[in-house]
């Protein structure tokens, strides 16, 4: 069974990932997650999947969520919480569905603790290119081909060929 850390659980990629986890409970479990400010959605996800950790954007929302969910889910906040959600559980896969470069540091931390990190969304690959390549190259884990597959953005065709 693969244990999934899902960063950005309430966005479109996150919701699709949760659908896959729910459709294949014998293959996947949600071990940790993050949301921005959608506390109502976070509460529903926590009730359904019972992750060990849920990270939210700010401490005020974390306090509200802590009062609504079981104490078996640790609620954390901010960038430290996002990093904790990425690396502190028994997750075997990190799915980074966070918007923009916010998820870069948690992804780099996950790379330092393989075999967790897998390729992220296309909009994110461009921001992380050489940074993740350098982090992966300095990690003692993973093959050179695996490092290349994770760190390289997709080649783009010239505008005239699109």
């Amino acid at each position: 069974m693969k244990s999934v850390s899902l960063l950005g659980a309430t966005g479109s990629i996150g919701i699709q990932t949760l659908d896959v986890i729910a459709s294949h409970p014998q293959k996947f479990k949600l071990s940790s997650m993050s949301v921005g400010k959608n506390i109502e959605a976070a509460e529903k996800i926590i009730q359904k999947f019972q992750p060990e950790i849920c990270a939210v954007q700010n401490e005020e929302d974390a306090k509200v969520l802590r009062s609504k969910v079981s104490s078996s889910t640790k609620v954390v906040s901010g960038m430290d919480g996002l990093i904790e959600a990425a690396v502190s559980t028994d997750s075997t896969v990190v799915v980074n569905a966070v918007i923009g470069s916010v998820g870069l540091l948690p992804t780099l931390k996950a790379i330092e603790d393989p075999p967790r990190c897998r390729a992220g969304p296309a909009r994110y690959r461009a921001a992380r290119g050489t940074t993740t390549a350098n982090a992966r190259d300095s990690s003692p884990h993973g093959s050179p081909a695996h490092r290349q597959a994770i760190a390289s953005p997709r080649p783009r065709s010239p505008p005239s060929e699109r």
Side-chain angles (χ1 to χ4, degrees), residues 45-123:
I45 295 167
I46 290 169
Q47 289 172 351
K48 182 172 183 176
F49 293 96
Q50 298 295 309
E52 296 170 37
I53 297 174
C54 177
V56 298
Q57 191 169 347
N58 61 55
E59 183 57 30
E60 295 78 27
D61 289 337
K63 289 176 185 176
V64 170
L65 189 56
R66 282 184 201 110
S67 70
K68 295 182 174 191
V69 299
S70 156
S71 62
S72 64
T73 297
K74 180 179 178 183
V75 179
V76 295
S77 65
M79 181 55 72
D80 289 340
L82 191 58
I83 292 169
E84 186 173 350
V87 302
S88 70
T89 64
D90 64 348
S91 62
T92 52
V93 175
V94 173
V95 177
N96 187 338
V98 175
I99 295 173
S101 62
V102 173
L104 182 59
L105 185 57
T107 299
L108 292 172
K109 295 295 184 180
I111 288 171
E112 291 172 3
D113 190 18
R116 299 171 195 255
C117 191
R118 301 294 182 259
R123 65 177 182 259

Side-chain angles (χ1 to χ4, degrees), residues 14-37:
I15 291 168
Q16 291 173 38
T17 303
L18 291 170
D19 288 345
V20 170
I21 294 169
S23 296
H24 302 282
Q26 69 285 2
K27 293 183 179 181
F28 302 104
K29 76 170 188 163
L30 184 66
S31 60
S32 63
M33 61 180 266
S34 77
V35 300
K37 297 181 177 188

